[in-house]
Amino acid sequence: MQNRGKQKLQQGWLKWLSRRLPASKQITLSHKSIFILPSGFGIAWLVLVVLLFLLGTNYQNNLIMGLSFLLLSVFNTCIIYSYKNLAGLTLSSRQQSGHFAGSPIYYPIQLSSKRQAFEIQCQFKDQPLHSIKSVNNQQSQLLVTVDKVRRGINRPGRLKVESRYPLGLCRAWSNIDLDLSQLVFAEPIVDSNPVSFISKPGDEQEHSGKYVSGVDEFKGLKEYQTGEPLKQVAWKQWAQGRGMLTKEFEQPQGAPMWLALEDNADDIELALSHLAWHTEQLSQNNQVFGLTLSGQSIPPAHGEKHRLHVQTQLALFPRRSPARRPRK
């Protein structure tokens, strides 16, 4: 019952935040988005003020009562400065790609402020805390970490921006949503049986699908070497004054390789990690390979664009819920 009540309170709080602070790529903090409460040190400060006031009134000591009023005025001043420290602070971020599961993600948060801001702390829920000493009108960047990410679309949720400047008596904070999402690739895990992913049993993995010199596809330009045929000279580039260059061509050697997810795999996540590792290895070797995944195929190709396409499909493969054990 207590857990359900706590979950309802959290859901209600998040719904209220969504209405008050909707998601946006760039957010500037104002009175609508800044919350202030006394810190632990601030509560102890207020208790001291009350004790001094009671002591001064009990013994009719104007000096002690004056000290209590002075401490209270300092507390009120901290509330104002705590708000002004965050007001006008602008935060934004940008999307990144190419991260693998099993390693932390660092979200780059850009901060700037119309007036000087000090001791700004940022963190996602249940994640490490990061701080920056000062922020001005020149844009600063803070890398905020998200640990223990899984493959697929990662959404870190709301970012807590907090400051206890100037004396730590008050905690001013805001929970903003920068609409962040990150595609996380499956974690590459070395596969001890790579032969099972070759299209033909007789093909050699070391050479199958590899590009060698040939005449099929244009590869690029290189400096002309004496004795090379003149028909391969790039005359257009020579006319442009770029010097004597020759055209290079290439062609795949042997049959292309195919990666496939076994339907009867006991551990789908491990199988996807093996495929991710093969994708990286084949791409580094510039080999041609395709992917068969859940009845859909990606045609054989090579290059960085093809690698990202294959890794994206592996990352977005639907998760399978674990089978329920029958009750005894």
Side-chain angles (χ1 to χ4, degrees):
M1 293 297 292
Q2 292 181 355
N3 292 335
R4 290 182 181 178
K6 188 176 181 180
Q7 290 178 357
K8 288 183 179 180
L9 287 176
Q10 290 179 350
Q11 292 175 359
W13 167 251
L14 292 177
K15 288 181 180 179
W16 183 82
L17 276 179
S18 299
R19 293 192 301 266
R20 188 175 181 88
L21 301 174
S24 178
K25 297 295 183 181
Q26 179 174 309
I27 294 177
T28 299
L29 302 183
S30 63
H31 68 280
K32 187 179 180 181
S33 54
I34 298 176
F35 310 98
I36 303 177
L37 281 176
S39 63
F41 178 47
I43 293 175
W45 186 282
L46 291 176
V47 171
L48 177 62
V49 169
V50 173
L51 291 177
L52 288 175
F53 179 77
L54 293 176
L55 184 64
T57 54
N58 186 44
Y59 290 97
Q60 297 181 356
N61 190 318
N62 293 333
L63 184 60
I64 297 178
M65 292 180 62
L67 178 60
S68 66
F69 290 139
L70 176 62
L71 295 180
L72 183 60
S73 65
V74 170
F75 183 85
N76 290 334
T77 304
C78 284
I79 295 177
I80 298 173
Y81 277 92
S82 295
Y83 166 78
K84 292 181 65 176
N85 193 49
L86 287 186
L89 182 66
T90 301
L91 299 99
S92 61
S93 185
R94 65 176 185 268
Q95 305 291 344
Q96 289 187 316
S97 60
H99 291 278
F100 290 94
S103 60
I105 296 178
Y106 300 95
Y107 285 92
I109 307 297
Q110 283 77 38
L111 305 96
S112 61
S113 180
K114 298 178 182 178
R115 62 174 66 92
Q116 193 83 2
F118 302 94
E119 300 298 333
I120 305 299
Q121 299 178 339
C122 297
Q123 72 173 145
F124 293 105
K125 185 178 180 181
D126 301 327
Q127 297 296 333
L129 181 68
H130 300 269
S131 61
I132 183 170
K133 290 186 177 180
S134 64
V135 178
N136 51 29
N137 56 359
Q138 300 295 327
Q139 196 173 75
S140 304
Q141 179 172 289
L142 184 65
L143 297 179
V144 184
T145 309
V146 176
D147 291 328
K148 299 178 181 179
V149 294
R150 303 171 64 188
R151 68 172 181 86
I153 302 297
N154 180 270
R155 293 182 175 88
R158 291 186 172 269
L159 177 71
K160 178 187 284 188
V161 185
E162 183 178 334
S163 176
R164 303 195 180 197
Y165 178 85
L167 297 179
L169 296 175
C170 298
R171 183 172 67 95
W173 83 97
S174 181
N175 284 328
I176 61 175
D177 189 351
L178 293 175
D179 196 20
L180 295 174
S181 61
Q182 172 70 57
L183 177 63
V184 179
F185 298 149
E187 179 183 3
I189 297 179
V190 178
D191 186 11
S192 59
N193 187 23
V195 180
S196 61
F197 296 104
I198 299 180
S199 58
K200 294 181 180 180
D203 291 340
E204 293 290 339
Q205 181 194 7
E206 186 177 350
H207 303 290
S208 180
K210 214 167 191 176
Y211 270 82
V212 295
S213 298
V215 296
D216 290 345
E217 298 183 16
F218 176 72
K219 180 181 179 181
L221 299 174
K222 68 174 184 177
E223 293 185 5
Y224 175 78
Q225 301 292 332
T226 304
E228 291 183 339
L230 295 179
K231 65 179 180 179
Q232 292 187 1
V233 174
W235 296 109
K236 183 177 180 180
Q237 283 73 16
W238 178 80
Q240 294 175 353
R242 297 173 56 183
M244 290 284 286
L245 301 174
T246 58
K247 300 178 181 179
E248 279 190 299
F249 296 88
E250 60 183 5
Q251 64 185 13
Q253 179 182 6
M257 300 181 65
W258 282 91
L259 305 180
L261 179 65
E262 298 179 0
D263 296 334
N264 58 350
D266 296 332
D267 192 338
I268 295 296
E269 295 301 322
L270 181 60
L272 291 173
S273 294
H274 286 165
L275 293 178
W277 180 81
H278 283 295
T279 300
E280 294 298 308
Q281 295 299 312
L282 294 174
S283 298
Q284 290 178 7
N285 295 330
N286 198 30
Q287 292 178 254
V288 180
F289 66 97
L291 173 67
T292 300
L293 196 65
S294 186
Q296 298 181 354
S297 298
I298 298 178
H302 73 297
E304 180 65 14
K305 185 177 180 181
H306 181 63
R307 182 187 75 87
L308 293 176
H309 187 197
V310 172
Q311 292 287 20
T312 299
Q313 296 303 313
L314 294 175
L316 298 178
F317 187 79
R319 298 183 180 277
R320 295 183 183 179
S321 58
R324 296 183 177 179
R325 297 181 179 179
R327 295 181 178 179
K328 294 183 179 181

